[in-house]
Amino acid sequence: MTHSRHSAGLRRSPHVLSWLVPILAVVAVSAALAATYLGGSLNAADNISDFPIAVVNEDTGTTLPNGQSVDVGDDIEAALLEGIDAEEFDVQQLSLAEAQAQMENGSLYGALVVPSGLSKDVAALAQGARAPGAVAQPAVEVLTNPRMGSFTANTVATLGREAFATANTELGRQLQGMVQQTQARLGAVAPLPGAATLALTDPLEVTVTAFNPLPDGTGSGLSAFYYALILILAGFSGSLVANAFIDSRLGFVPFEFGPRYRMESPSGFSRTRTLVAKWAVMAVIAVLVSAAYVGISAALGMPIDRPWELWAFGALAITGIAVVAQTINAVLGNPGLMVNLFIMVVLAIPSSGGTVPIEATPGFFRWLATFEPMHQIYAGARSILYLDGSWETGLGQGVTASIIAIVVGLVVGLAVMRLFDARGFTRGPVARLEPAGAH
């Protein structure tokens, strides 16, 4: 009798794999988080490729007193195009109006601008080197696009300073040679004043200007990223919470509250009917949560020019995430939690483009960004919050991806659940498998 009870107790003891599985699962997820989050951001500057910038040459040139035509802008433009790494930067030669239009729609990250009067200013500097009084220093401009993120703005500013510095050095040598020739022609023997020599050596002033800067309340360009993140979390984690409550109410799993334990009577819901009920609940939740997000954001001072558009997009995005997450859970069971975690969290944030632009991430993350949900949702949120909210500036990308997610989730979920139901894979108590001869 005692031996029989002891044997039964051993049979009920969890196998060693029951303890190893959660340990290995948590270690694997944690390691993946470290590899993706750190790997996608630590060496961003070394991963830059196809980073869209423009070189804008508006200089109209000038004619020197001796009749010589000079176009400093062409020389600087050639130096910029030669000095910028074409493998890292996608350099376009645009007019100022074209560059500004592309920065407004988010397709251009910045511009290096040579102004229209640069040649005149450089000639005035050279001619005024020996004259008393101050001479205005010629200036060039680096236009950044802060609406595409602080990293992109800093990258453009750094590139602009470095690129113009190279052109500045070459222009300085040309100016010194020009002044020396003028001195020799005039028979001047006195050396130039120190300030004039310094001005000729380093003639260009490089100014960095934020094009269409963001207003206060945008977290220095991070509010769109965080808004996309909370939309993802609402769909993913919201589905987990809703599933737990719905399954307990339908009698599939117990409901525990502190020391209390309650098991409802089985509802008899089929797998198909259960999944449809969960989808419906999350669709209602998506509408309400999106409205709450808009209201909370406005109350916290985040500028929202298109609240109704943001609410509708948020509801659609949350629904898309929830439908996919619940379908994966229904099809795979408990392993679906791990799959959802990787799709919605582990791989999503590094490939979102919200903190580090896609053009500065490793190739693996650029590939992920073609289908990972957070990048698509971030593009839509950024379009509404920072750009003009049009279909072309990212809203279409986010809406299309959400609709595709909903359609695919519905089709796959219904097909698999009906198959499970047809084969009798009902949800309910399963008889314990006893070893042969146990009785």
Side-chain angles (χ1 to χ4, degrees):
M1 186 72 167
T2 304
H3 175 73
S4 177
R5 289 180 178 175
H6 180 66
S7 299
L10 287 177
R11 286 198 300 271
R12 289 194 298 269
S13 299
H15 191 272
V16 64
L17 288 178
S18 300
W19 304 108
L20 284 177
V21 168
I23 292 173
L24 295 176
V26 172
V27 170
V29 171
S30 300
L33 282 171
T36 55
Y37 283 31
L38 298 178
S41 60
L42 290 182
N43 299 302
D46 297 332
N47 296 319
I48 292 178
S49 178
D50 299 323
F51 195 97
I53 62 167
V55 171
V56 176
N57 180 15
E58 298 281 284
D59 190 20
T60 56
T62 190
T63 302
L64 300 179
N66 62 4
Q68 179 184 356
S69 296
V70 174
D71 196 325
V72 176
D74 285 348
D75 295 337
I76 293 181
E77 181 182 23
L80 292 176
L81 295 175
E82 182 181 355
I84 297 175
D85 191 338
E87 293 185 0
E88 294 184 358
F89 296 91
D90 178 16
V91 184
Q92 306 171 48
Q93 294 172 264
L94 304 173
S95 68
L96 183 59
E98 291 171 336
Q100 290 174 338
Q102 290 193 25
M103 283 193 283
E104 285 179 348
N105 66 30
S107 61
L108 189 69
Y109 289 171
L112 312 185
V113 181
V114 178
S116 60
L118 183 65
S119 291
K120 295 182 176 64
D121 293 340
V122 169
L125 176 65
Q127 294 167 16
R130 295 191 57 84
V135 179
Q137 186 176 10
V140 290
E141 188 175 30
V142 179
L143 284 179
T144 65
N145 193 355
R147 292 173 184 262
M148 304 306 293
S150 58
F151 181 93
T152 59
N154 292 335
T155 299
V156 171
T158 300
L159 168 70
R161 291 189 182 98
E162 293 176 352
F164 275 127
T166 302
N168 197 15
T169 300
E170 178 59 28
L171 178 61
R173 284 196 290 265
Q174 293 177 9
L175 277 177
Q176 291 178 71
M178 186 185 303
V179 172
Q180 288 171 1
Q181 292 175 5
T182 301
Q183 284 185 297
R185 186 173 66 253
L186 297 177
V189 294
L192 292 175
T197 302
L198 181 61
L200 294 175
T201 304
D202 188 24
L204 294 180
E205 178 185 6
V206 180
T207 61
V208 178
T209 306
F211 174 78
N212 195 13
L214 287 165
D216 293 336
T218 58
S220 298
L222 288 175
S223 60
F225 165 74
Y226 284 113
Y227 203 90
L229 178 59
I230 61 176
L231 291 176
I232 290 279
L233 292 177
F236 166 56
S237 58
S239 293
L240 297 180
V241 175
N243 284 355
F245 278 95
I246 292 172
D247 282 344
S248 66
R249 294 301 300 171
L250 295 179
F252 295 126
V253 296
F255 178 77
E256 292 184 87
F257 188 81
R260 301 287 185 179
Y261 174 98
R262 180 184 179 90
M263 187 71 188
E264 297 286 350
S265 299
S267 63
F269 272 39
S270 66
R271 287 180 177 270
T272 302
R273 188 178 176 188
T274 300
L275 182 56
V276 170
K278 291 177 178 179
W279 285 338
V281 168
M282 280 307 301
V284 174
I285 290 174
V287 172
L288 298 176
V289 169
S290 184
Y293 281 175
V294 173
I296 291 170
S297 300
L300 292 175
M302 188 174 86
I304 304 176
D305 295 333
R306 303 170 182 84
W308 290 106
E309 190 174 356
L310 185 62
W311 166 75
F313 174 73
L316 180 66
I318 294 172
T319 302
I321 294 296
V323 167
V324 170
Q326 288 172 326
T327 296
I328 290 174
N329 281 336
V331 172
L332 300 180
N334 288 342
L337 174 61
M338 292 284 293
V339 174
N340 278 323
L341 189 61
F342 269 86
I343 294 175
M344 310 298 180
V345 179
V346 175
L347 300 177
I349 295 178
S351 62
S352 68
T355 54
V356 176
I358 296 300
E359 294 82 1
T361 58
F364 173 65
F365 295 106
R366 299 185 197 190
W367 172 72
L368 286 176
T370 60
F371 61 88
E372 264 289 336
M374 187 166 177
H375 177 66
Q376 324 309 321
I377 293 175
Y378 169 68
R382 183 181 62 190
S383 172
I384 297 171
L385 292 173
Y386 298 164
L387 305 175
D388 60 3
S390 66
W391 194 259
E392 296 77 16
T393 59
L395 180 61
Q397 181 179 348
V399 169
T400 302
S402 297
I403 292 175
I404 291 174
I406 292 173
V407 172
V408 171
L410 293 176
V411 171
V412 173
L414 288 174
V416 176
M417 290 307 100
R418 285 178 176 174
L419 178 63
F420 285 177
D421 289 334
R423 295 194 175 186
F425 296 139
T426 58
R427 300 183 73 191
V430 179
R432 180 185 299 276
L433 297 178
E434 298 287 356
H439 299 288

